[in-house]
Amino acid sequence: MQALRVGLKAMKTRIERSRSRLCSKCKAIFDNWWDRDDRTNWRVLYMSSTRPGRQHHNIVRLQRSASKGCPVCVLLLRGLDGEAIQQLMQEDRNRRSLVHIALALVEIPDLYLIRVLFHPGTSPAWEVAINAYPSVGNSTKVGKIQSRADCEANWNLVRKWLRVCQDTHPKCSQDSSSRQLPTRLIDVGTSDMDLKLCLTESLPRDTQYLTLSHCWGGKVFTMLTRSNFQEFLTQILTRDLSKTFKDAIVVTRSLGFKYLWIDSLCIIQGDEPDWQRESSRMGAVYTNSALNIAAAAAPNGDLGCFSTRRLDQMHGCKVAMRTRRDSSHTTAWDCSVLVGSENENALNSRAWVYQEIFLAPRTLSFTAHELFWECISSMACETFPDSYNYGAITRPSVASGKRWNDPTGDISDKWSQIVNNYSGKVVTFERDRLIALSGVARLFAARFGTTYLAGMWKEDLVKQLAWSTVKPSGDTTESSIPSWSWASINTVVLMKCDVDILPGFIPQVSILEANTAVSNDPFGDVMGGTIRMKCRVPRIATLMTQYERQKVNISSGSRQFRAEICPDTTPYSINDELQLLALLRGTNWEGKETVCGLVIEPVKMATYRRTGYFEVTGDYLQGFMATWDKGTAGDEHFSSINEGLGSNEEGDNMCVLALI
C-alpha cells in the first residue's frame, strides 16, 4: 500500500510538472476546458467548433515559447510546415492566432481537436490541429520513436503489447471451441531454408498464426498457383518474394510465431473454385488470427513493412487538465500532432484491407513514422507506448464501440458507421465490392440475427434506403448490384440515419417484399434484387434552377419548393424531369420538419431504378406536401394499371411499385 501511495504521488508530481511547463496561452486552453464544454448538441459539436475562439500567440511569440520548452507550442510549431512559417513571418508576424476546440468524432466522445488558426477568414489561412484525449490510466510516459522499425527495442515493445492483451483483455480473448484454421498456412520456420506452404488439416485447432494486410499495387510478384503448388509444399524460395512478404516473415519470427497467412500465397491464384471457397472464409481467417500485420506505408510489395522512417512526422506530449471546473484535481491527456496526411497510409483506400483490420482481434501497423498497435480493448504507439486512446491510422474494432454492446436500437444505427467508412474503398474487381465486406456482414448477422440484402439489412430497411453520395460517382457502368443498395456505385456515401435522420422519423412507405439473387453465398456478390413497396404515388417534378451546391428549385404542377438533391452517378440538369419517392418524415437535428426520399426513374411499368436522394426541409415542405393533393402530377401513370391502390385516409393516391 505504501508503494502504491508513493507511485501515485510520483505520477501526480509528473503531471503537475507538465502543467508548470505550459506557457500562459496554452495553460489558459486547458484551465478553461470544462467551462467551455457544451455537449447539449452533438450534431453542432460534430460539424463545427462551438466554443468561443481564444487568442493565442503570433508566429514570433509561438517560436519563442516553443524554444522555452512549452510542449504544446512545440507541437503547434512542428505542425506548421516551412512554407507556412515563412509566409507568416513575411506577411503579418504580429497578428495573433485564434484557438478553437471541438469534438473530433461523435463515435469517440472524448477525442478533441485543438485547432489554432493563423489569419482566419483569409487565404491562405494556416491551421494546426492537435489531437487531445485522456491518457489511459493517467499515464505520464511519452515514448521515443526508434530510427528503425525492425529493432530489438520495438520487438520488445510489441511483445509487451501482445502479452498484456492476451493476459489481461477479456474482450480480446478468442473462442477456440468452434475455431477453424485456414486451409493453408506458411510455415516460416527458423530460417529461409525452412520456408514452405503447410496444409493445416493435421494441425491442432489452437495453432497460432499471424496474417498480413498489404497492397498488391499492380506489381508482379510470386503467387501460389496450380503449377507451383507441390513445389511450395517442399520449399518457398525467399529470394522470389516481395519485400513486404519478406518483412512479414521477419515480424512473424521475431515475435515467436511459426505460421503466417498471406492471401496470394495461401489461396490458389487463377483457380476460380478455390477462390470462391477461400474468399468466403477470409473473414474467419482474420478473426481467428493471433495478430494482423499491416504494411501501412507500402503502396506495393517493393517498400515492405520496414520502410525508411520519417522521424519528424509524429510528435506528442502529456498535458495535465482539470477533471472538473471547480476542482484542482488534474488528469493526464495525450496531445499529438501528425505532420503530413493520413493518406500516406497506403492501406486506407483498399476495400479488402478495411475488413481485414476490422475483423482482426489485434493489428500491428507499420506506418511511415512509427508502429501503431490496436486491439479491441486498447491502442498504443511508440509515442504513447502505455496506451493511446485514439489511433489516427488504425481503425477501432467494432467490438469496442457503444453500438455493438448496446442491445437497444435497430440494425441501421449499428451498420451505418460501417457503410460510411467502407463505401468508396477501392477494389480491383467490381464483383469484390460486397465480397470484401462479407466477413463483417457475417459477424453482424450472427450477432444481431438479421437478414442480409446486398450490403443492407431486411430489418428496418426503409431507414437504410436513405443514403446519399458525398459527390456523384461519375460511374454509369452497369452493375449486378441493385440500384437501391449503396454498393451499386463506387463513391463515398452517408447513411443518413447516422447523420441527419433521428429516431423519431416515420416511414412513409411499407415494404411488402425484399430479396436478392445470389449464387451460393448470401453475403457475397449478387445478381440483382427487388424491393416491392406500398407508397404514395411518386411526384413528377422539374428542376428549375441550381441555387447552390446540391440546393435546387423544383416545380411540380403549380407548386414550387426548394430541395437538396444528391445524384448517385451524374448530376441532374436544368429542366430535367425528376420523380420523387418520399421515404421518411420527421424532425431533423436542427428541429425542422423534413421529408427525405429517393429520386427514381422508370424502367418498365411500376418498376423503377434509383438515381439519387432528396430532402425537403422547413418552410419549403408545405409546397412539396401540397403536390400530394389528389389529381396532381404522377397519378396518371398508375391510374391505368393494377398497381394503383386508390387513396389513403388523407386523400393521397397510393400505389405499389418495385425498385430494382
Side-chain angles (χ1 to χ4, degrees):
M1 183 63 69
Q2 180 64 26
L4 178 61
R5 290 196 188 97
V6 172
L8 291 174
K9 183 177 181 181
M11 178 185 296
K12 184 176 181 180
T13 300
R14 288 194 295 269
I15 294 175
E16 291 300 332
R17 192 177 297 144
S18 73
R19 283 182 64 79
S20 65
R21 291 186 292 136
L22 292 177
C23 69
S24 60
K25 298 298 181 186
C26 291
K27 192 169 184 295
I29 295 174
F30 297 101
D31 279 348
N32 293 280
W33 191 275
W34 299 107
D35 291 333
R36 296 154 62 194
D37 199 359
D38 180 8
R39 298 171 182 267
T40 58
N41 190 334
W42 68 265
R43 169 70 179 186
V44 176
L45 282 171
Y46 174 71
M47 294 299 294
S48 64
S49 301
T50 61
R51 303 175 185 183
R54 288 177 173 268
Q55 286 191 324
H56 202 264
H57 294 305
N58 58 38
I59 185 62
V60 175
R61 290 187 176 274
L62 179 65
Q63 291 176 315
R64 187 179 303 163
S65 178
S67 67
K68 291 181 177 180
C70 173
V72 175
C73 285
V74 170
L75 295 189
L76 293 172
L77 192 61
R78 285 173 172 170
L80 290 169
D81 59 30
E83 179 187 359
I85 294 175
Q86 183 178 7
Q87 288 288 334
L88 290 170
M89 291 293 289
Q90 291 176 352
E91 293 176 358
D92 188 0
R93 63 172 63 191
N94 294 319
R95 186 170 180 179
R96 295 171 68 177
S97 56
L98 202 62
V99 176
H100 287 277
I101 303 172
L103 283 173
L105 295 170
V106 175
E107 288 299 314
I108 310 178
D110 286 326
L111 172 66
Y112 288 84
L113 285 181
I114 303 173
R115 298 168 58 235
V116 176
L117 293 83
F118 292 87
H119 300 183
T122 64
S123 181
W126 308 104
E127 175 182 334
V128 184
I130 294 177
N131 287 326
Y133 204 112
S135 299
V136 174
N138 236 10
S139 169
T140 60
K141 182 178 180 181
V142 178
K144 176 185 177 183
I145 297 178
Q146 304 297 322
S147 59
R148 291 175 52 87
D150 55 330
C151 65
E152 192 57 31
N154 274 346
W155 297 137
N156 288 334
L157 181 61
V158 177
R159 292 185 195 112
K160 174 187 173 183
W161 288 337
L162 183 60
R163 182 176 65 255
V164 170
C165 178
Q166 291 177 328
D167 294 346
T168 66
H169 294 168
K171 286 184 179 180
C172 302
S173 61
Q174 297 163 305
D175 181 10
S176 60
S177 60
S178 59
R179 184 173 185 260
Q180 289 185 331
L181 290 175
T183 305
R184 310 171 190 103
L185 289 170
I186 302 165
D187 186 341
V188 302
T190 57
S191 70
D192 290 348
M193 296 298 295
D194 302 327
L195 192 69
K196 62 183 178 180
L197 186 68
C198 171
L199 304 181
T200 63
E201 53 192 13
S202 61
L203 293 178
R205 182 181 293 177
D206 60 354
T207 298
Q208 298 290 295
Y209 64 91
L210 305 191
T211 51
L212 174 67
S213 290
H214 68 106
C215 285
W216 288 37
K219 294 278 187 176
V220 177
F221 54 88
T222 300
M223 302 180 182
L224 176 66
T225 63
R226 281 293 175 192
S227 62
N228 62 20
F229 186 87
Q230 292 300 322
E231 176 189 342
F232 275 24
L233 288 174
T234 302
Q235 185 182 22
I236 300 174
L237 296 179
T238 306
R239 67 170 182 264
D240 295 336
L241 300 180
S242 69
K243 185 176 185 302
T244 297
F245 292 178
K246 293 176 183 177
D247 289 353
I249 291 167
V250 171
V251 175
T252 305
R253 290 173 180 159
S254 299
L255 297 181
F257 290 88
K258 186 179 181 183
Y259 297 103
L260 172 66
W261 189 91
I262 300 176
D263 49 8
S264 55
L265 293 180
C266 294
I267 299 176
I268 302 174
Q269 305 301 303
D271 187 315
E272 185 64 22
D274 195 69
W275 161 253
Q276 291 285 352
R277 181 174 57 254
E278 296 302 314
S279 64
S280 67
R281 300 175 180 175
M282 208 173 298
V285 169
Y286 283 87
T287 299
N288 292 321
S289 67
L291 177 68
N292 182 46
I293 305 165
N300 55 60
D302 292 346
L303 272 74
C305 299
F306 311 142
S307 57
T308 302
R309 305 196 106 184
R310 306 168 192 171
L311 299 180
D312 60 343
Q313 280 198 300
M314 184 70 176
H315 306 281
C317 69
K318 298 281 185 175
V319 175
M321 186 182 299
R322 290 189 298 173
T323 54
R324 295 182 303 275
R325 68 181 67 183
D326 58 349
S327 172
S328 60
H329 183 263
T330 58
T331 58
W333 278 55
D334 297 333
C335 292
S336 64
V337 62
L338 177 62
V339 182
S341 171
E342 187 180 342
N343 292 332
E344 292 172 354
N345 182 351
L347 298 181
N348 272 352
S349 63
R350 307 304 301 181
W352 280 106
V353 172
Y354 177 86
Q355 173 173 264
E356 294 163 8
I357 294 179
F358 187 99
L359 294 175
R362 308 169 188 91
T363 293
L364 177 65
S365 293
F366 288 82
T367 74
H369 46 281
E370 67 176 322
L371 298 181
F372 275 86
W373 165 275
E374 178 181 11
C375 64
I376 294 172
S377 302
S378 70
M379 298 179 187
C381 57
E382 290 177 64
T383 304
F384 299 110
D386 289 339
S387 196
Y388 184 40
N389 267 310
Y390 173 67
I393 304 299
T394 57
R395 298 192 176 278
S397 169
V398 68
S400 65
K402 296 183 297 182
R403 293 180 179 181
W404 180 256
N405 295 307
D406 183 4
T408 63
D410 52 44
I411 188 67
S412 299
D413 295 332
K414 303 176 191 299
W415 185 247
S416 59
Q417 184 186 3
I418 306 302
V419 173
N420 296 348
N421 288 336
Y422 177 81
S423 60
K425 300 295 183 188
V426 177
V427 291
T428 304
F429 305 103
E430 281 302 315
R431 72 169 190 172
D432 290 352
R433 191 164 304 284
L434 286 174
I435 299 175
L437 194 63
S438 61
V440 179
R442 290 178 203 277
L443 184 68
F444 267 72
R447 174 78 174 183
F448 302 110
T450 44
T451 308
Y452 194 59
L453 294 174
M456 302 167 79
W457 301 94
K458 194 170 186 177
E459 294 75 12
D460 200 38
L461 186 57
V462 175
K463 188 182 291 187
Q464 295 167 76
L465 291 173
W467 55 266
S468 70
T469 59
V470 173
K471 64 179 181 179
S473 68
D475 182 8
T476 57
T477 305
E478 289 294 323
S479 171
S480 62
I481 301 174
S483 68
W484 44 262
S485 169
W486 57 267
S488 64
I489 57 176
N490 181 23
T491 189
V492 177
V493 305
L494 294 177
M495 273 199 164
K496 307 299 280 189
C497 56
D498 191 47
V499 182
D500 293 309
I501 306 304
L502 303 182
F505 269 65
I506 300 172
Q508 302 297 293
V509 304
S510 300
I511 304 295
L512 304 177
E513 181 184 0
N515 58 70
T516 55
V518 299
S519 55
N520 54 9
D521 182 5
F523 298 98
D525 195 19
V526 300
M527 286 78 69
T530 302
I531 297 175
R532 292 183 70 249
M533 62 177 65
K534 177 182 177 181
C535 59
R536 290 181 173 88
V537 171
R539 298 296 86 195
I540 297 177
T542 302
L543 196 158
M544 298 170 56
T545 55
Q546 188 83 19
Y547 176 66
E548 58 183 53
R549 183 179 179 270
Q550 296 184 340
K551 296 290 195 307
V552 298
N553 286 329
I554 286 180
S555 67
S556 180
S558 61
R559 304 284 182 174
Q560 295 186 10
F561 54 91
R562 185 169 294 165
E564 178 180 340
I565 300 285
C566 302
D568 293 344
T569 55
T570 55
Y572 304 116
S573 300
I574 302 300
N575 297 323
D576 277 355
E577 187 177 86
L578 308 177
Q579 298 200 31
L580 309 180
L581 170 66
L583 284 179
L584 296 159
R585 182 177 180 178
T587 303
N588 69 6
W589 61 273
E590 291 181 306
K592 297 180 179 179
E593 190 174 8
T594 300
V595 167
C596 69
L598 308 182
V599 184
I600 57 178
E601 65 178 12
V603 177
K604 56 184 178 180
M605 192 66 74
T607 302
Y608 289 79
R609 177 186 296 112
R610 173 194 161 121
T611 66
Y613 170 87
F614 79 90
E615 280 185 19
V616 182
T617 301
D619 297 338
Y620 302 105
L621 191 59
Q622 184 177 0
F624 174 75
M625 299 297 292
T627 66
W628 274 330
D629 292 345
K630 188 174 181 180
T632 55
D635 299 332
E636 297 85 354
H637 176 73
F638 290 90
S639 62
S640 60
I641 60 175
N642 58 9
E643 297 288 13
L645 300 178
S647 302
N648 62 9
E649 295 178 355
E650 299 172 346
D652 303 321
N653 284 356
M654 305 296 290
C655 68
V656 172
L657 60 78
L659 288 178
I660 60 173

